Amino acid sequence: IISFCLILVIFKVREKNYILKIILTVFMLVFLTIGIWNLFKINETYMDVKNKIHNQQIDYSSIYNLSKEKNVIIIMLDKGISSYLPLIFDERKELKKIFTGFVYYPNTVSFGPNSISAYPALVGGYDYTPFASQMRSMEKCQKKHDEAMLFLPLIFKNNGWNITVTDAPVGHYQYITPNEMFDEKGIDYKNILVNSTGDIYENEYLNKKNTLYFSLV
């Protein structure tokens, strides 16, 4: 858009403003080059994600194998707002019986406004809070993020538990967490939501209806 606007401006600039024409032309070429390069990068990233999704064959009937004796299930509701919970219980009284034994801790706060900054501390403890991570300034943020993701699974695995992890966010700083991160440690890992919900959203909402509007927004 900027490039096309500059083209219009260039045509309207008088001949005597030769230097201004050169400057505007350079800017136009720069923005045009960046735009074309981004188009290729977006397409490359999209195809990479799409191939990863379709190459994963998941048997949804046997994702979690629970024991009859003892199980530990950790669920993180990404983008969940905990302060809504009392309002939900007030509106749906029957849920209070279903959640008997559940403890709600209202006096809590996230360590960050997004998954990349908040998730490591949630699953890795205080050593992976933003402040503690910055103390290890010579290490890449990606490395510390991946360590935090493996922290709890490895503790359970080293104590004789069978571990299954699904849909861990932005592992290795990629949109789809690579299975290899967990496979190398002997931990079963699957991307479930990307294969099911993600495909539905992409096909029904983005591709068929709102691709143009989404790109403009």
Side-chain angles (χ1 to χ4, degrees):
I1 292 172
I2 294 174
S3 299
F4 287 122
C5 290
L6 286 173
I7 292 172
L8 294 175
V9 173
I10 290 170
F11 277 113
K12 290 188 177 182
V13 172
R14 295 179 179 178
E15 288 295 331
K16 63 180 181 180
N17 293 327
Y18 182 70
I19 295 177
L20 180 58
K21 264 193 171 184
I22 293 176
I23 294 173
L24 290 174
T25 302
V26 170
F27 273 106
M28 179 203 63
L29 293 174
V30 169
F31 284 121
L32 197 60
T33 303
I34 292 173
I36 294 172
W37 184 80
N38 280 331
L39 285 175
F40 280 103
K41 289 299 293 181
I42 290 170
N43 184 66
E44 180 185 338
T45 303
Y46 171 78
M47 293 306 297
D48 179 56
V49 170
K50 191 172 183 179
N51 290 334
K52 285 182 179 179
I53 291 173
H54 291 293
N55 288 339
Q56 286 187 342
Q57 301 297 324
I58 295 178
D59 179 10
Y60 289 93
S61 63
S62 60
I63 294 173
Y64 304 110
N65 298 303
L66 301 180
S67 168
K68 292 182 178 180
E69 298 177 1
K70 185 182 292 185
N71 298 282
V72 176
I73 301 174
I74 300 174
I75 301 173
M76 186 198 76
L77 297 179
D78 206 350
K79 294 182 175 64
I81 301 175
S82 63
S83 57
Y84 286 173
L85 194 62
L87 301 177
I88 295 171
F89 281 168
D90 287 341
E91 185 176 321
R92 300 286 299 276
K93 304 295 184 183
E94 66 273 18
L95 290 178
K96 288 186 177 181
K97 294 181 180 180
I98 298 174
F99 281 85
T100 299
F102 174 79
V103 180
Y104 168 59
Y105 296 95
N107 190 25
T108 57
V109 65
S110 171
F111 277 100
N114 47 47
S115 300
I116 288 181
S117 57
Y119 185 69
L122 181 66
V123 294
Y126 288 106
D127 289 338
Y128 296 96
T129 62
F131 178 77
S133 292
Q134 289 302 317
M135 299 298 289
R136 298 159 59 186
S137 58
M138 300 304 293
E139 299 179 27
K140 291 183 177 180
C141 292
Q142 174 189 301
K143 176 179 179 292
K144 291 176 278 190
H145 183 93
D146 292 351
E147 281 182 9
M149 294 179 74
L150 291 164
F151 184 77
L152 276 177
L154 285 176
I155 286 180
F156 278 99
K157 180 178 180 295
N158 293 335
N159 283 275
W161 292 72
N162 295 320
I163 313 299
T164 298
V165 180
T166 59
D167 299 292
V170 289
H172 213 58
Y173 276 12
Q174 296 182 19
Y175 175 69
I176 300 178
T177 296
N179 292 46
E180 294 77 14
M181 278 182 53
F182 293 89
D183 293 341
E184 291 171 355
K185 302 294 184 179
I187 298 168
D188 184 34
Y189 180 79
K190 297 180 180 70
N191 285 303
I192 302 172
L193 296 179
V194 173
N195 284 273
S196 54
T197 311
D199 271 349
I200 295 170
Y201 181 82
E202 173 194 329
N203 293 328
E204 298 299 325
Y205 184 77
L206 287 182
N207 290 348
K208 294 182 180 179
K209 298 179 182 178
N210 295 306
T211 301
L212 179 60
Y213 298 132
F214 181 78
S215 64
L216 291 175
V217 172

